[in-house]
Amino acid sequence: FGWGLGYCANIFISRMKPSARVIVFEPDEELFRSFKTHIDQSRIANDPRFQFVVGSSVRHFFDSWTLEGCRETDEFLWIIWPGAEQLHRSLATSLQESFKTRLRDHAANLLTHFQNGGMYFENALANFEYQTDPDAGRLFGRLRGIPLVIVSAGPSLDRNIRELRGVED
């Protein structure tokens, strides 16, 4: 978090494994433009291990990041440039929390597949005829007068499960 003028780039490149990936979050667009114009960054610009997220897009990066390219055995190192933390402390903290949530959700999904893979597969086959029809319209009117909650398992369920407490019946 925080790239500054990119003076750390050569150190990263010299110490990184070929399989490493670096996602750089630089919230200050003007500072990033200075890095691009004042520092010979051709090595970094041509290095596929680097991904730069700059400006306002930093805040929402983990909203849609699906851990693409990550493996279960990957290790993560979070480095914060002190100047960026001082200027953008709440954003850095928010990003770290979003990252942890993404990893937790990914781990929970993997665990669910390991523990319930057989049942999931059987249910998928049993409901195959319904999976190709996105129209839920045939449900309307069939349960008139009966309270109903439709719940789909997924990362949002962890955030919203508290809303379902008390309506189990």
Side-chain angles (χ1 to χ4, degrees), residues 67-85:
L67 288 117
E68 66 274 353
C70 294
R71 296 178 307 266
E72 287 75 25
T73 57
D74 284 347
E75 296 179 32
F76 297 95
L77 173 64
W78 189 278
I79 300 172
I80 299 179
W81 180 52
E85 182 179 32

Side-chain angles (χ1 to χ4, degrees), residues 32-163:
F32 190 74
R33 277 193 299 277
S34 292
F35 151 70
K36 288 175 68 175
T37 58
H38 293 98
I39 304 293
D40 176 23
Q41 47 97 17
S42 60
R43 284 180 67 192
I44 301 154
N46 295 321
D47 192 324
R49 297 175 295 177
F50 283 87
Q51 175 183 354
F52 292 94
V53 183
V54 180
S56 61
S57 59
V58 167
R59 183 171 305 284
H60 303 288
F61 178 80
F62 290 116
D63 294 348
S64 59
W65 188 55
T66 59
L67 288 117
E68 66 274 353
C70 294
R71 296 178 307 266
E72 287 75 25
T73 57
D74 284 347
E75 296 179 32
F76 297 95
L77 173 64
W78 189 278
I79 300 172
I80 299 179
W81 180 52
E85 182 179 32
Q86 187 175 10
L87 292 171
H88 307 282
R89 186 179 314 275
S90 64
L91 177 57
T93 301
S94 174
L95 267 180
Q96 286 178 304
E97 289 305 314
S98 295
F99 180 61
K100 289 176 189 175
T101 299
R102 241 337 138 193
L103 291 178
R104 186 205 66 217
D105 291 350
H106 188 64
N109 285 340
L110 285 173
L111 184 61
T112 298
H113 284 292
F114 287 135
Q115 291 177 338
N116 302 315
M119 183 184 354
Y120 172 83
F121 184 70
E122 289 171 11
N123 286 340
L125 288 178
N127 292 303
F128 183 73
E129 65 181 285
Y130 305 110
Q131 293 178 19
T132 58
D133 184 5
D135 183 14
R138 56 188 157 163
L139 292 175
F140 292 104
R142 291 188 63 195
L143 302 167
R144 194 175 308 268
I146 299 173
L148 174 68
V149 176
I150 298 175
V151 179
S152 295
S156 64
L157 182 58
D158 290 341
R159 293 188 301 271
N160 299 316
I161 192 81
R162 67 184 173 281
E163 302 296 327

